[in-house]
Amino acid sequence: CPTAADLRPANGTRVCAQLYADNSPYYDQCCAGDVLVVPPGTDAPYMPRGWSARASSLVVGTRCELTVWSRKAKKGKSRRFGA
């Protein structure tokens, strides 16, 4: 998986988090498959099409916080992730 400081694409734009679709018991294979990029300031009460219950790994960038909920529309239990 990339480190929190690595979350910068080639053009230098800041990325707050990346969620990955593929999972593995081996750490070096966890952050694989499709990637959902979360830019700074994103407020999404619903996961994009095809991502519901699909994210298996995530990395949160420095100076960012990612809050996720167990149910749609920001309902249910929440959990916060940081770098």
Side-chain angles (χ1 to χ4, degrees), residues 43-82:
D43 183 12
Y46 299 93
M47 289 295 283
R49 182 178 293 266
W51 275 93
S52 181
R54 188 167 174 220
S56 63
S57 302
L58 63 91
V59 176
V60 179
T62 56
R63 298 188 321 262
C64 286
E65 183 176 84
L66 177 71
T67 304
V68 296
W69 286 265
S70 62
R71 302 185 52 112
K72 63 183 180 179
K74 298 182 181 180
K75 294 184 179 175
K77 295 180 181 180
S78 67
R79 182 157 182 195
R80 292 182 178 181
F81 297 92

